[in-house]
Amino acid sequence: MIACDPHRFINDLDETIVARLITRLESRAQDKVFTHLLDNYLTRLALPRSVQVLEIGCGTGAVLRHMARREDFSGKAVGVDQCQPFITSAQRFAHDENLDEYIEFRLGDVHKLEFSDASFDAVIAHTVLSHVTDPEAVLREMARVVRPGGRVVIFDGDYASLTYAYHDFDLGREMDRALATATFNNPYLMRNLPRLLPLLGLALSSAWGDAVTEIGTASYFKSFAETYAPFVTKAGLLPAATVEVWLERQRQSMQNGSFFAACNYYTYLATRSD
Ligand SMILES: C[S@@+](CC[C@H](N)C(=O)[O-])C[C@H]1O[C@@H](n2cnc3c(N)ncnc32)[C@H](O)[C@@H]1O
């Protein structure tokens, strides 16, 4: 079995796949599921207007653009990602929306951030820690670059709860598990944060969960299935024919209104203690 989280190994993928992932990140960002969950934590954070924010693993910059468009934001944001085509797209999208005076994007590895200690008021990881090589090392970097009293936000899925309805329940569960394994290096990390955060000097301020469900029709989970099911075969987890039949059945259920899929997402807000 080969683990092949595409976002972890993005720099090993060919440009067609990278372009497909850029499309997926941008279409996901337009989905009301995404904007609702993002607005929820940005509102609860209530950051000062002139805040200095870092987003680690910023991808195409969708989170920071959304934040910069909000009326309560007039600060500065920096996004870091390991993938040059993502950074180039992020710069172009921000420029197209006249947001480049608020947001800067830089190439970098989030395990070794090139910022001094205590450089930011807030540091955000939005669906990133599930993909990185060493989540504890990345959390340590987040804790280092946020100022004492500053805020750390971790938003991600608990992919043990990722499920698509399938007529063959056992095979469906196998496919759910294979999707989580092929797509995420750390699919169950969110359960470990209550234990990990205090060890890194981050005091948990609040945490909550959201069940994302699509029943009858699909948008968020349609794009997820179309993008990531091929990686199940690529990772050698299930035969190509099995995955293709599963995908075709999902498409049919989207067309005839019998679709069902769900996953739990969690948000942790923490404060640097010292
Ligand atoms: C699912 S995407 C999320 C992008 C963005 N946060 C969003 O929500 O639209 C995960 C991102 O993490 C980045 N990433 C993974 N490991 C990384 C690392 N070691 N250093 C920098 N970026 C990394 C990937 O390149 C990818 O852009």
Side-chain angles (χ1 to χ4, degrees):
M1 181 176 86
I2 313 156
C4 71
D5 177 330
H7 287 286
R8 179 181 175 204
F9 295 113
I10 187 81
N11 290 324
D12 298 336
L13 300 178
D14 69 43
E15 59 186 50
T16 321
I17 300 178
V18 173
R20 200 182 311 144
L21 291 172
I22 290 173
T23 305
R24 153 79 186 160
L25 288 177
E26 285 297 301
S27 77
R28 182 180 81 152
Q30 315 232 322
D31 202 299
K32 63 180 187 312
V33 166
F34 184 94
T35 51
H36 166 74
L37 297 174
L38 179 53
D39 273 326
N40 192 16
Y41 74 67
L42 291 176
T43 303
R44 283 163 86 153
L45 263 180
L47 294 169
R49 289 185 73 81
S50 60
V51 68
Q52 303 276 327
V53 180
L54 170 68
E55 191 201 355
I56 60 150
C58 62
T60 55
V63 168
L64 293 182
R65 290 201 313 280
H66 187 82
M67 187 168 83
R69 279 185 222 118
R70 284 170 56 101
E71 289 203 338
D72 58 2
F73 182 86
S74 61
K76 285 267 191 268
V78 181
V80 171
D81 203 279
Q82 64 181 348
C83 172
Q84 184 59 56
F86 282 6
I87 291 292
T88 305
S89 302
Q91 287 165 332
R92 195 180 68 244
F93 295 140
H95 178 75
D96 290 350
E97 284 191 53
N98 291 321
L99 293 172
D100 38 2
E101 74 175 277
Y102 303 106
I103 320 173
E104 179 195 332
F105 293 102
R106 292 194 196 176
L107 189 66
D109 181 351
V110 298
H111 297 84
K112 267 173 75 176
L113 291 167
E114 292 180 353
F115 300 106
S116 312
D117 298 358
S119 301
F120 295 94
D121 302 307
V123 181
I124 299 175
H126 192 103
T127 62
V128 171
L129 289 185
S130 55
H131 295 289
V132 300
T133 306
D134 182 348
E136 204 169 318
V138 174
L139 280 165
R140 196 170 301 113
E141 279 296 85
M142 294 174 80
R144 180 182 69 76
V145 300
V146 76
R147 66 167 168 76
R151 313 300 299 279
V152 163
V153 182
I154 301 140
F155 171 88
D156 221 315
D158 176 52
Y159 299 102
S161 65
L162 173 68
T163 187
Y164 285 74
Y166 200 56
H167 66 288
D168 178 338
F169 182 78
D170 291 337
L171 187 53
R173 289 307 280 163
E174 252 190 88
M175 184 63 189
D176 292 340
R177 203 176 150 81
L179 268 174
T181 305
T183 313
F184 305 99
N185 192 48
N186 317 298
Y188 318 124
L189 174 78
M190 294 306 272
R191 313 170 167 217
N192 293 333
L193 293 188
R195 178 182 62 77
L196 277 178
L197 294 178
L199 300 178
L200 303 167
L202 296 170
L204 186 59
S205 326
S206 56
W208 63 90
D210 293 276
V212 173
T213 56
E214 285 182 328
I215 299 171
T217 57
S219 142
Y220 186 83
F221 287 111
K222 174 179 193 297
S223 153
F224 186 94
E226 296 284 359
T227 305
Y228 296 116
F231 288 96
V232 167
T233 307
K234 203 165 156 26
L237 296 171
L238 285 172
T242 306
V243 173
E244 198 36 60
V245 170
W246 179 90
L247 200 48
E248 195 43 45
R249 286 254 184 178
Q250 297 303 332
R251 291 183 189 123
Q252 283 165 11
S253 68
M254 290 168 205
Q255 275 165 14
N256 67 24
S258 63
F259 181 79
F260 177 102
C263 186
N264 295 333
Y265 286 78
Y266 294 91
T267 309
Y268 285 77
L269 305 186
T271 305
R272 180 171 155 187
S273 319
D274 49 284

